[in-house]
Amino acid sequence: MRNWWNQFIKGNVFQNVWITIGVSMTILALVIFLLAFSNVQTKTYDVDRLDTAKDTILSPINVEDKDKTQEKRDEAMESVDDVYTIRNFITNTRINYMEEIFNAVEVVDQQEESENQAVDVTESDKVENDVEKLQSMLSEDITKQVNPEVLEHLLDAPADQRNVAEEMLSNALKDVLHSGVREEDVGSSIETVKNELQYESFDPDLKEAVQSLIEFLIVRNSFIDEDKKIQAQNEAANDVDPVMIRQGQVLVFQGETISNDIYERLKLVGLLDGKSNWYPYSGLILLIILSIGVLLYELKRVSKTDGLDNGKVLAILFISILVFLMMKLGSVFQSSIDDLYYVVPVATGSMLLTLLIHERMAILLSIIYAIFGTIFFNQQIPGTLNVEAGIYFMFSQLAAIIFLHNVKDKTSILKAGFGVTVVNIVLVMVFVLLTYEPISLSGTTITVGYAILSAFLSSVLTFGLLPFFEAGLGMLSDTLLITLSNPNHPLLRKILTQTPGTYHHSVMVANLSESACEAIGANGLLARVGAYYHDLGKTKEPQYFIENQMGMKNPHDLLEPQKSADIIIGHPYTGAEMLRKHKMPTEIIDIAEQHHGTTLLKYFYHKAKQENDNVEEVNYRYPGPKPQSSEAAIVCICDSVEAAVRSLKTPSPEDIENLVHSIIIDRLLDGQLSNSPLTLKDLERIQTAICETLQGIFHSRIQYPETKAAVKEA
């Protein structure tokens, strides 16, 4: 089982990594759907009127209660008062009648004075004649409705009192009629005007006549305007806001009796029909497809630029499932503890992705995690998104990525955890200050505690899970490389104690390789650590390698060229085997195995050629493979450069540059770089970086005098 797993991780089971990607992304999509299913699921209830609610039921949607809305609109329309319109022609007619009566009385009164001077008549005849004249001058409506006795009293009244009565009646009549007289207000309006005139010191007959005129002149002139009333009713109905049942609104509390009104509301929002609404599921599926699609695009980019293997794909799968499980677990308990998302250690995922893969992938997945976090923490209310939780998850993860930018050792995880703590606390304060609710010191303190705990758990989980990913998936992280670069590592101690010359050579190669890798954007740390271990195989027979032959005769002088070649050629593969036994990362093993490629062991080949012209070149070439990665190819170049430069006594910058250039050209023409992703532009940058490093090592020094001469001069 263990061998099968190792073969799978190395890609031997699934030769095409895209098969692994397809299977992994399918599993991830199914996991997300199964975990988020309940957060978008519209739950239905089997209840009836007058039942007792077993749960607190919330509305899953926004919907208008049309019956309630219509009821409120009907009430608004019924509350609209009648709209009256004053008919001005009636007002003007009544005022004209009043003016006509008093003008006619004045005319008759003047004619009476003239006739009294010319003709002698009896008093009764005179009054009768005057009334008849007055009636003949007045409109038919007046003569029909006004008693002749009223006209007689007006004619008998003194002119000055009549004029005063006319003016007062005119003003009162205009005020009343212009204000509008409704049918039910005619009597009260008449009484109001009469009361205004009753205290005047008029002749009793005149006062009686004026009161009779008031009864004649004041009539209904204000009528209901049906069109305006309908318009007012429509405006009142339109001003009524729809009665809405809001998403998340409590429809019934646990233990509450389900009344008829509550039952109708449950029915309206679709919680009683027993039918499942597939729209939320479709939306969730589309969101998952979109997220997986973006992730696949990024995986394609990584496969072209940084290389992609089964271990990285499985790391993304397992880390994503872990993050989603943590968010789902937190959402389960959110119903009893508010704002529990603050304690979810979601930054664990971004830290692991940054350490095991790279920042870009970590940022992309952090966005995806934050988006689905808004669904997981929607309090089981389908259709809602907890934007606050999404923002918190987003910035918490980005903070972890930013603070893990430069990984020097494992304490960087603790430093990143401290940075996440600060950012989490700031986010809590942002949400607290943006709310309109009064700030609760105890509640804020608890929330801040959640935020601190989240950062702490993120650091602890990252520490604890990182070794499992590194060992179980064969992942190579910067922290693992830093650990492997420790001089106290057993294999490095072995090189140092058994082959000190090789150890010094490896350190020099490591310095050159790291600077060259950084010049082209390759993994400098990987090249450095790989260079430390690349000659581990020399520890098997150290005396056969010249850098370890201090103060001893070269044993190759006593051996046949073929035997010497076999010993030298075997050291990359011996070292690779030793690294495999110590379960070292595949990338380190590849560098050790590939750092000589299929190069020719020229010294022993030419030596054998001198003895026998029929020597086959293939017997003096390393069997390979050729360097497959940029880091392995650079170590291959730097290994030869360091050995060649060490043979120079006083190398000048020109000597170094010519030597480095010749070695690179030799490796290029020999086909040793054909399987690596290095370009000609990369090789130019590599040459420049190596030369700059070597010139820093072999710079000019002051020639100090010999000790004896210095003492003598002293």
Side-chain angles (χ1 to χ4, degrees):
M1 183 68 181
R2 183 182 181 90
N3 292 334
W4 181 90
W5 178 253
N6 290 334
Q7 290 177 0
F8 175 78
I9 296 301
K10 294 174 183 178
N12 294 331
V13 174
F14 286 169
Q15 293 294 334
N16 189 343
V17 71
W18 283 100
I19 298 177
T20 307
I21 291 174
V23 173
S24 299
M25 293 303 101
T26 302
I27 294 173
L28 181 59
L30 290 174
V31 169
I32 297 174
F33 183 81
L34 292 175
L35 292 178
F37 182 87
S38 60
N39 294 89
V40 300
Q41 181 183 20
T42 304
K43 187 177 180 180
T44 58
Y45 298 86
D46 184 15
V47 296
D48 204 349
R49 294 175 176 85
L50 303 181
D51 285 349
T52 301
K54 298 179 181 179
D55 302 301
T56 297
I57 303 176
L58 308 179
S59 173
I61 58 173
N62 291 322
V63 65
E64 179 186 354
D65 190 339
K66 294 183 178 180
D67 292 339
K68 290 290 183 182
T69 301
Q70 189 59 45
E71 183 179 336
K72 289 187 66 175
R73 286 175 177 170
D74 291 342
E75 292 175 357
M77 293 177 69
E78 290 176 2
S79 65
V80 174
D81 295 330
D82 292 335
V83 180
Y84 288 86
T85 298
I86 298 174
R87 297 184 180 177
N88 292 326
F89 77 91
I90 296 177
T91 301
N92 295 332
T93 298
R94 308 319 285 186
I95 293 174
N96 290 336
Y97 281 168
M98 182 206 69
E99 293 176 350
E100 182 181 349
I101 291 171
F102 279 96
N103 289 335
V105 169
E106 185 176 354
V107 170
V108 172
D109 191 33
Q110 291 176 355
Q111 291 178 354
E112 180 187 354
E113 292 178 0
S114 301
E115 292 175 356
N116 288 340
Q117 294 176 359
V119 181
D120 292 331
V121 293
T122 62
E123 185 68 26
S124 61
D125 291 339
K126 181 186 73 158
V127 171
E128 184 178 350
N129 290 335
D130 290 344
V131 171
E132 289 179 356
K133 288 181 181 179
L134 184 58
Q135 288 179 328
S136 65
M137 298 172 63
L138 296 174
S139 302
E140 184 178 357
D141 288 342
I142 298 175
T143 56
K144 286 182 178 180
Q145 298 182 49
V146 177
N147 195 308
E149 187 176 350
V150 173
L151 300 175
E152 182 180 343
H153 290 327
L154 290 175
L155 289 169
D156 292 341
D160 56 344
Q161 290 189 16
R162 191 171 61 237
N163 291 335
V164 173
E166 179 185 3
E167 182 178 359
M168 295 185 64
L169 179 60
S170 176
N171 293 334
L173 183 62
K174 290 178 180 178
D175 290 342
V176 171
L177 292 178
H178 285 152
S179 298
V181 179
R182 301 176 185 177
E183 184 177 8
E184 65 273 16
D185 296 334
V186 172
S188 61
S189 298
I190 292 173
E191 291 301 322
T192 298
V193 176
K194 284 182 177 181
N195 291 334
E196 291 180 4
L197 299 177
Q198 66 178 348
Y199 298 108
E200 296 296 332
S201 57
F202 295 147
D203 181 79
D205 292 338
L206 176 60
K207 183 178 291 187
E208 181 181 350
V210 170
Q211 290 180 345
S212 297
L213 285 177
I214 290 173
E215 294 177 356
F216 163 68
L217 293 172
I218 296 178
V219 295
R220 175 187 179 190
N221 72 337
S222 181
F223 297 86
I224 296 176
D225 192 327
E226 294 295 337
D227 292 337
K228 288 186 177 180
K229 182 177 181 180
I230 293 173
Q231 182 180 356
Q233 288 176 332
N234 291 335
E235 291 176 355
N238 292 333
D239 289 339
V240 174
D241 294 328
V243 178
M244 299 295 297
I245 300 176
R246 299 294 177 184
Q247 194 175 54
Q249 177 182 336
V250 177
L251 300 179
V252 60
F253 288 98
Q254 183 180 8
E256 185 179 356
T257 300
I258 298 177
S259 63
N260 185 67
D261 184 53
I262 293 174
Y263 184 86
E264 292 300 324
R265 287 193 165 200
L266 294 174
K267 183 178 180 180
L268 179 63
V269 299
L271 295 178
L272 300 179
D273 56 10
K275 297 179 181 178
S276 181
N277 185 356
W278 286 98
Y279 291 146
Y281 308 140
S282 302
L284 177 61
I285 292 172
L286 289 176
L287 180 60
I288 293 173
I289 292 173
L290 179 62
S291 301
I292 297 298
V294 173
L295 184 54
L296 286 172
Y297 177 82
E298 178 62 14
L299 288 171
K300 181 179 179 182
R301 190 196 68 83
V302 172
S303 67
K304 292 181 178 180
T305 56
D306 301 329
L308 195 62
D309 56 29
N310 291 339
K312 290 182 179 180
V313 176
L314 292 177
I316 293 172
L317 173 64
F318 293 148
I319 292 171
S320 299
I321 292 176
L322 173 65
V323 173
F324 288 130
L325 284 174
M326 289 191 297
M327 288 195 292
K328 184 62 179 180
L329 182 63
S331 67
V332 170
F333 295 99
Q334 190 184 19
S335 59
S336 57
I337 305 176
D338 293 335
D339 301 333
L340 195 60
Y341 56 84
Y342 284 114
V343 80
V344 177
V346 69
T348 303
S350 58
M351 286 185 180
L352 288 172
L353 289 167
T354 302
L355 293 170
L356 295 173
I357 304 178
H358 54 67
E359 292 178 5
R360 182 184 172 104
M361 181 64 72
I363 292 173
L364 174 64
L365 284 169
S366 295
I367 296 172
I368 294 175
Y369 298 157
I371 291 173
F372 282 98
T374 63
I375 297 177
F376 284 120
F377 288 92
N378 66 351
Q379 294 183 326
Q380 303 290 327
I381 303 174
T384 61
L385 299 175
N386 191 336
V387 179
E388 188 172 306
I391 294 174
Y392 176 78
F393 290 152
M394 175 70 71
F395 281 99
S396 182
Q397 293 177 99
L398 291 179
I401 296 169
I402 291 171
F403 288 110
L404 267 179
H405 180 70
N406 291 317
V407 181
K408 299 301 181 184
D409 51 38
K410 287 194 175 181
T411 60
S412 298
I413 298 176
L414 294 178
K415 295 175 184 177
F418 178 77
V420 173
T421 300
V422 175
V423 172
N424 285 359
I425 293 174
V426 171
L427 288 170
V428 169
M429 298 310 302
V430 167
F431 296 140
V432 170
L433 296 175
L434 284 177
T435 60
Y436 288 98
E437 300 178 0
I439 297 176
S440 170
L441 181 60
S442 60
T444 303
T445 302
I446 293 174
T447 307
V448 169
Y450 288 162
I452 295 173
L453 182 59
S454 172
F456 173 76
L457 290 175
S458 296
S459 298
V460 171
L461 288 173
T462 303
F463 259 124
L465 294 174
L466 188 59
F468 288 98
F469 283 100
E470 291 174 340
L473 298 179
M475 299 294 294
L476 186 65
S477 65
D478 287 351
T479 55
L480 178 58
L481 289 173
I482 291 170
T483 302
L484 295 176
S485 67
N486 190 331
N488 291 319
H489 190 281
L491 293 181
L492 289 183
R493 293 289 299 173
K494 181 181 181 66
I495 298 173
L496 176 60
T497 57
Q498 297 182 14
T499 57
T502 298
Y503 180 83
H504 180 266
H505 162 72
S506 298
V507 171
M508 295 294 290
V509 173
N511 293 332
L512 296 174
S513 300
E514 184 175 37
S515 62
C517 282
E518 291 176 353
I520 65 169
N523 192 337
L525 184 57
L526 172 59
R528 168 175 285 277
V529 177
Y532 286 157
Y533 292 92
H534 81 287
D535 275 342
L536 177 62
K538 292 182 179 180
T539 59
K540 183 178 181 181
E541 295 178 296
Q543 70 277 12
Y544 287 98
F545 299 91
I546 192 168
E547 68 267 22
N548 301 313
Q549 297 171 0
M550 293 178 292
M552 62 177 293
K553 189 176 181 179
N554 191 341
H556 290 290
D557 295 340
L558 305 176
L559 297 177
E560 295 292 331
Q562 184 63 58
K563 180 63 175 178
S564 297
D566 291 341
I567 294 173
I568 300 299
I569 290 174
H571 84 273
Y573 314 105
T574 301
E577 188 60 30
M578 294 171 67
L579 291 171
R580 289 190 183 94
K581 288 182 179 179
H582 282 78
K583 297 182 176 57
M584 296 291 279
T586 304
E587 292 82 353
I588 303 297
I589 298 172
D590 290 342
I591 289 175
E593 194 171 38
Q594 299 169 12
H595 77 275
H596 279 294
T598 60
T599 56
L600 177 64
L601 204 58
K602 294 181 179 179
Y603 177 81
F604 293 107
Y605 173 69
H606 291 301
K607 184 178 179 181
K609 195 76 170 173
Q610 292 174 357
E611 298 176 0
N612 183 6
D613 288 337
N614 297 324
V615 173
E616 295 184 4
E617 183 180 299
V618 68
N619 294 328
Y620 291 86
R621 279 190 178 274
Y622 289 89
K626 296 177 182 179
Q628 305 293 311
S629 64
S630 298
E631 293 80 10
I634 288 173
V635 171
C636 173
I637 294 171
C638 293
D639 181 51
S640 298
V641 167
E642 196 282 331
V645 171
R646 189 161 21 95
S647 66
L648 301 177
K649 292 184 178 180
T650 55
S652 65
E654 293 78 12
D655 295 336
I656 292 174
E657 186 173 349
N658 292 333
L659 181 63
V660 173
H661 179 73
S662 65
I663 291 175
I664 292 176
I665 293 299
D666 179 70
R667 291 290 182 268
L668 184 62
L669 296 178
D670 195 30
Q672 301 304 314
L673 307 179
S674 58
N675 292 345
S676 72
L678 295 180
T679 64
L680 293 177
K681 188 67 176 177
D682 291 336
L683 293 176
E684 280 186 34
R685 294 172 179 169
I686 290 169
Q687 177 178 328
T688 301
I690 292 175
C691 290
E692 289 176 353
T693 305
L694 288 173
Q695 289 168 12
I697 297 172
F698 295 101
H699 60 274
S700 300
R701 292 180 173 83
I702 298 174
Q703 184 68 36
Y704 290 98
E706 293 183 1
T707 305
K708 292 182 180 180
V711 172
K712 184 176 180 180
E713 290 179 3

